Every structure is written in C-alpha cells, then in structure tokens.
Amino acid sequence: MPNVAFINGSFMPLAEAKVSIEDRGFQFGDGIYEVIRTYKGRPFALDAHLARLDRSATALDLTQPYSCAEWTHHVLEGIRRAAYPEAKIYVQVTRGVAPRDHVYADELRPTVVMTVREFHPLDRSVQAAGVEAITTEDIRWGRCDIKSVNLLANVLARQQVKKAQVFETILVKEELVTEGAVSNVMVVQGGTVVTAPEGSRILSGVTRAVVLDLALSEGLSIQERFVSQADLYEADEVFLTGTTVEVLAVVRIDGKVIGGGRPGPITQRLAAGFTSRVG
Ligand code: PDD
C-alpha cells in the first residue's frame, strides 16, 4: 500500500484520508509536527524526534495522544505498510476539531495525522559539489524552537529559494544568522564549528545535535553562538544540517564564493562521519 496515511489510529491509502474543515490545524495552524526519515528501512533518531514532539506539545498546552511506545508502534507500522526502500514520515498533531474560535476548550481531542511517502535521498553529485544559498530576512515569530505547523514565513522564504534557483535560504535576524528555512546552519571559523545556540530563535535540529556530538568526538571544537551575516560570507566553510539534507556544504551565498568554492575538509569529514553513524 504505497503513500500510507494514518488518522487517529487508523491506516488508509493517502488518497482516502480526510479531516474536518473545522480542524484547528487548518484554521489556525494550531498544531505541531515532525519529519523523520529511514535509513535501510529504520527510522533515524525516532526517540529524539518523539522527544521534540513532546516538547512542542507541552509548549502549546496540547495533549499528546500517544506515549512514546505507541508512537513508535504506529510509525513502524506505517513504514511496514508503505514498504518503500526509504521512507519519509510526517507526523502532525493538531488541537482538534471545533467551531472556529481563537479560544479552545480544554477537552478537545487532538487530531493525529501521519503520512508515509517514498524518500529520495539527495543526489551524491549534489553532496559532492555543495549547494548555493541566498539569505533572507527571518520574519518568523518568537518561538522558533516549537516545531509548529505555522510555517508561513518558511513557505515565503522557500519560495524565494525557488525564484533564485538555489538550494536553501539562510535566515538572518537583526544581522545574525539563525538557521535555514528547512535546516540548521553551521560555519567553520579557524577550525571551530560554530552554530546558533538553542533557544527561541532556532529549531533545535535532531541532525544538529548528532553533528555537534560527532564534531566533538572527532576532536573538533564547537561553539554555540550567533555569527553575523558578514561573518557568514567570510567563513572558511558553511554547511547545512537536517533530516532531508544530512550534512551539506554551501559553497556560494548571495553569489559570493565561500571558502574555496568547494566543500571544505571539516564539512567533508563530518558528512562522512554522519554517513557512518546512520548506516
Ligand atoms: N525541517 N530548522 C528548521 C526551520 C527546520 O524546518 C528543520 C527541519 C531543521 C532541521 O531539523 P532536523 O535535523 O530535526 O530535521 C532546522 C523539516 C525537515 C521540515 O520542515 O520538512
């Protein structure tokens, strides 16, 4: 059964899946999500994704419908039913269905949705060459640490990416680099890996944590602090981290060549280390 959907405990083909137009996710963006991918058919860092889903739920005063064990069961079952070589699992929890009113009733039953689609990893040639990015103003709200389905600012930023025919946009708030529209951003300065600190200005990526841990275990120094947009252009290396991009070199930003215009040695080391951790 390809392209599997799951709504509130039941699996069905994606084409048959329907939710109410009065779902608060639809009307208010009142919900949270996670994107998980498989390696060799197994979900990567599922516990970390589920822990972040829990944190997002708590931040929004949203009742988590399933325990970690129940979520794991449903995700594994979705992967099994879809039977793709590699899958991308999208899970979403919204506050539930109610007549439109900004205020919500405490007893609402959350709407749980999951889709399982085929995942196509990035082309190896793209990984090897690195990608181009632009910068755009980070116009998102003050709680970017919550993985909320309110993604309008990210949607608009990604549309700029499409227009510019590049790979990603790096978001800049008050001259400081926060993260990408769908990824975290790391720079290498004099051998140190630097990335924005956890907090309300970024989504704390599951991949980000794995890569920082990897950097430490490789004997590299890391710093969690903001870098300026000017420092970004001057960095020795810049790379993205994320579920869909893994560790991906950025070799040109706003038309300016980064480092030598090729993936740098530390990026390559971390990309290789990441591949061996997930394999
Ligand atoms: N997004 N920052 C933002 C704003 C993101 O949307 C994502 C991932 C990340 C990377 O997080 P992780 O390493 O946990 O995937 C950072 C997913 C893939 C999405 O919205 O599709």
Side-chain angles (χ1 to χ4, degrees):
M1 182 164 81
N3 285 346
V4 166
F6 168 98
I7 304 178
N8 296 330
S10 306
F11 282 99
M12 64 205 75
L14 184 59
E16 288 169 21
K18 304 257 184 306
V19 293
S20 167
I21 62 164
E22 291 207 303
D23 194 278
R24 291 180 61 93
F26 181 56
Q27 295 191 330
F28 292 106
D30 188 356
I32 55 175
Y33 76 104
E34 284 294 324
V35 178
I36 304 141
R37 66 156 289 185
T38 62
Y39 287 94
K40 295 189 185 137
R42 287 196 302 273
F44 178 64
L46 181 58
D47 287 355
H49 283 284
L50 293 176
R52 187 170 63 191
L53 189 70
D54 249 345
R55 291 200 301 276
S56 297
T58 303
L60 295 191
D61 176 33
L62 224 162
T63 314
Q64 260 273 42
Y66 300 126
S67 67
C68 185
E70 288 167 330
W71 268 121
T72 302
H73 172 80
H74 296 315
V75 168
L76 294 179
E77 180 59 15
I79 293 168
R80 193 191 66 76
R81 287 178 184 240
Y84 287 125
E86 298 297 358
K88 179 156 113 172
I89 303 103
Y90 174 76
V91 303
Q92 176 184 293
V93 183
T94 62
R95 200 174 304 276
V97 178
R100 188 179 181 281
D101 183 350
H102 288 68
V103 175
Y104 55 88
D106 293 334
E107 62 277 7
L108 284 186
R109 185 171 80 116
T111 306
V112 183
V113 161
M114 172 167 68
T115 60
V116 186
R117 292 170 174 274
E118 185 162 16
F119 181 73
H120 300 283
L122 268 187
D123 217 79
R124 283 294 144 204
S125 62
V126 175
Q127 291 272 5
V131 296
E132 193 168 344
I134 53 172
T135 56
T136 48
E137 192 190 344
D138 188 348
I139 59 166
R140 296 174 304 161
W141 73 323
R143 288 300 305 274
C144 299
D145 54 319
I146 301 171
K147 203 160 172 62
S148 145
V149 294
N150 268 283
L151 288 172
L152 191 50
N154 307 58
V155 166
L156 296 177
R158 287 295 297 173
Q159 203 59 18
Q160 294 301 313
V161 167
K162 184 181 161 191
K163 264 198 199 149
Q165 296 185 306
V166 295
F167 187 87
E168 174 63 306
T169 182
I170 295 175
L171 304 175
V172 177
K173 192 160 209 146
E174 291 153 6
E175 318 229 323
L176 299 178
V177 172
T178 52
E179 60 183 329
V182 292
S183 59
N184 290 111
V185 175
M186 301 198 180
V187 307
V188 180
Q189 292 175 326
T192 298
V193 178
V194 186
T195 194
E198 287 186 298
S200 58
R201 287 196 164 190
I202 68 158
L203 180 78
S204 180
V206 168
T207 320
R208 174 188 180 279
V210 172
V211 172
L212 288 179
D213 185 57
L214 185 65
L216 285 177
S217 70
E218 293 263 326
L220 296 165
S221 61
I222 63 169
Q223 285 179 6
E224 293 178 72
R225 61 171 171 81
F226 289 105
V227 300
S228 69
Q229 186 169 0
D231 286 344
L232 181 71
Y233 299 134
E234 295 301 317
D236 301 327
E237 303 177 32
V238 176
F239 59 94
L240 309 173
T241 68
T243 296
T244 51
V245 300
E246 303 180 305
V247 175
L248 183 62
V250 181
V251 295
R252 198 182 276 263
I253 303 173
D254 295 335
K256 298 175 179 55
V257 173
I258 304 303
R262 308 177 47 242
I266 291 182
T267 307
Q268 289 189 46
R269 226 166 104 190
L270 293 173
F274 186 79
T275 303
S276 51
R277 274 211 189 184
V278 298

